[in-house]
Structure formats: C-alpha cells, structure tokens
Amino acid sequence: MVHHAFCAGRCDGACLSNMQRRTAASWFRARRAILYCLNVVGGVAVLLTGSTTVVQAQKRVAIEQIKAGIVGVGTFQRTRTPQFRFLGTGFAVDDGRSIATNAHVIAQLLDSGSDPEVLAVLLPSAELHQSTIVEVTRSAVDDEHDLALLKLKTGRLPALALCADDGVKDGDEFLFTGFPIGAVLGPFAATHRAMVASITPIVIPPPTSERLEPSVVRRLQRGSFPVYQLDGTAYPGSSGSPLYDGGTGEVVGVVNMVFVKGLKENALAQPSGISYAIPVRHLRELVTKVR
C-alpha cells in the first residue's frame, strides 16, 4: 500500500507493468499530438484575425481618403428652393481642381433667365449646415463613355489616384462611395461594396435626342465597349461615384448606371442589385486631353 501511494506521488511509471507503460506512452503521444494541433489551429486563427484586422484598417483609411475628394454635383440658383439641386456624384482628380463625373449627370439645359442657373458642386461637411457650394464650369465631355470633367472656380480638393493598371477581372471586389439617394439623406457620402460580376460590352446612348449628332450616330453603329457589371446596389444619385480598391484607394472605374426593373421610379423601391461602371482608362484619357 505504501509502495503504490509513493508511485502515485512520483508519477514516473516505475511501478507500472509493461502493458501499463505502453498504454501510458501511447496516451502521452496522443496528448502531445492533440496539443500540437490545437496550437497550430490557434496560430492560424490568430494570423487570420490579424490579417482581417489589417484589411479592415486599410479599408477605413481608403474610405476616409476617398471621402475627402467626393462632392455632390448639381446646379445652383439663388431664387430657387432649395438653391442647390442635386444631380449626381463627382470626385476630384488630377490637380484637385478637376471634378470627374458622368456626362449624363450634367446633360440638362440650364435656366438662363434673370437668375441664371449654374453648375455647382457641394463640398460635404461633418455638420449638416456647414456644407459649401462652389460654382464649376464644364471642362470636357466624353459622351461615348459617359464621362465629364468639371473645373472648380475656387479652391481645390485632395485628388483621388487613378489606377494605371487595367487588370480588373471577374470576381475582383471593390468599394464605391457617393450619394446614393441624392440629398434625401443629407450631404453625407455613403460607401458600398461591389464585386465585378462580369465585364460586358455596352453602348452608351446620348442623354437627349438633341445630342444625337452624326458622330454619335456613327459611334452607335460602330458598336460597344466593355464596362464592369457589378453586383452592388447603386441608385440614381450614385452616378459619378468612384469605384476603387479598398486596399490602395486607387480608382478603377466610374459608376454610371443601374439596371432598373420596369420604370425608372422602381430604382428606389425595387433595386435590382445590378450596376455598371466605366473602366478608369477612359477617364485617364480624358484627363490627359485637358491638361
């Protein structure tokens, strides 16, 4: 009895039979293997958690940088209520005085009466009543690719970087930031995620019949060009929003339209979740032309 109590205290297996020693050794080997696997799994979990944290941090930084260059595009008229009429989204490029948006956003005719209507952009602010309205002028328009550049009359904004690589592929995931329902939710830019579902050919029609010029007719006859079909839900106010890499903040495209089920009024009530963006190379070419 004393001997057995002593062995239980030492736990070195000296008093165990051969069968017991073999069983104990097998158990310890299995235990070590289990602990090793748990440590490996735990290490992987830590690595994955750390990686996720880094990605989230990169996205936050990218969104913050993007928002600094985002504007609401519209028209301004002093005697109108509201004075600023929201039409779409734009973002600063090049020297920070150029604003990129869609051609269809600024396609409407302006009122040239005693109180002339002018193109303007709204510079958002964290405070609702501190947003600034700045007049802009048309700098360049590319109807074929539904792109336009505006020029700030005063000041400049942090310019967004345009991606120099056109290597966007199906399955790539991006972010886009803009004003999805215009001024309804206030001048606060919102960010959404989107995956490139397909790269598909499309033809951009002229925004109005008045702009159906011979060159436009020839372009329609000539055919289409590829655009990015996205699985993200965009709304009419999202037109002109930058589509960008959440890791680098580089712009890869410009959101220009959303697939609508039925009438255009259904874009809000029944969004399709299918949107389109113009590849950024066309914007790069437009910026180069006006330099």
Side-chain angles (χ1 to χ4, degrees):
M1 293 296 293
V2 174
H3 178 69
H4 284 295
F6 178 73
C7 286
R10 286 176 57 190
C11 289
D12 59 0
C15 62
L16 299 179
S17 67
N18 290 335
M19 178 65 73
Q20 288 172 322
R21 282 197 291 271
R22 286 196 296 270
T23 302
S26 298
W27 185 86
F28 279 113
R29 283 196 299 270
R31 181 174 179 271
R32 282 198 300 269
I34 291 171
L35 290 175
Y36 175 78
C37 291
L38 289 175
N39 285 334
V40 170
V41 171
V44 171
V46 170
L47 289 174
L48 290 176
T49 302
S51 176
T52 301
T53 302
V54 170
V55 170
Q56 291 294 342
Q58 289 175 332
K59 284 183 179 180
R60 293 191 189 103
V61 171
I63 291 172
E64 183 177 356
Q65 293 174 340
I66 292 293
K67 282 190 173 183
I70 294 289
V71 300
V73 178
T75 64
F76 177 82
Q77 198 168 20
R78 293 188 182 280
T79 57
R80 183 175 62 195
T81 303
Q83 292 179 319
F84 181 79
R85 178 173 295 164
F86 183 90
L87 298 175
T89 299
F91 57 96
V93 296
D94 200 24
D95 61 355
R97 293 190 61 204
S98 293
I99 303 296
T101 188
N102 291 137
H104 77 260
V105 168
I106 59 170
Q108 71 175 48
L109 296 176
L110 301 178
D111 184 358
S112 58
S114 57
D115 178 23
E117 183 182 21
V118 297
L119 282 173
V121 296
L122 184 144
L123 312 183
S125 169
E127 298 295 330
L128 180 61
H129 301 293
Q130 293 183 4
S131 299
T132 305
I133 297 174
V134 178
E135 186 175 349
V136 295
T137 57
R138 284 183 176 87
S139 180
V141 176
D142 177 5
D143 283 325
E144 180 174 354
H145 301 106
D146 193 22
L147 294 171
L149 287 176
L150 307 173
K151 183 71 73 173
L152 291 170
K153 283 201 169 183
T154 59
R156 65 181 68 237
L157 297 170
L160 276 58
L162 304 184
C163 184
D165 182 13
D166 296 321
V168 174
K169 303 294 183 184
D170 290 5
D172 289 348
E173 292 188 352
F174 299 104
L175 304 175
F176 62 95
T177 300
F179 302 93
I181 315 180
V184 175
L185 301 180
F188 307 110
T191 301
H192 300 268
R193 290 178 298 177
M195 183 185 74
V196 177
S198 176
I199 299 178
T200 182
I202 200 167
V203 175
I204 305 295
T208 63
S209 58
E210 289 82 1
R211 296 173 71 169
L212 194 61
E213 301 170 352
S215 61
V216 176
V217 174
R218 287 195 297 272
R219 183 244 302 170
L220 293 174
Q221 293 173 339
R222 187 166 60 247
S224 58
F225 66 97
V227 297
Y228 304 140
Q229 180 182 315
L230 310 173
D231 71 346
T233 300
Y235 294 92
S238 299
S239 292
S241 297
L243 180 72
Y244 58 95
D245 187 312
T248 65
E250 292 185 327
V251 178
V252 300
V254 183
V255 176
N256 81 308
M257 61 182 174
V258 57
F259 179 77
V260 177
K261 298 180 289 186
L263 301 176
K264 65 180 182 180
E265 288 77 10
N266 293 344
L268 294 179
Q270 303 176 36
S272 66
I274 300 175
S275 306
Y276 296 89
I278 307 299
V280 75
R281 64 176 174 274
H282 302 297
L283 178 58
R284 290 201 310 266
E285 293 169 358
L286 191 61
V287 169
T288 301
K289 285 182 180 179
V290 299
R291 280 179 179 166

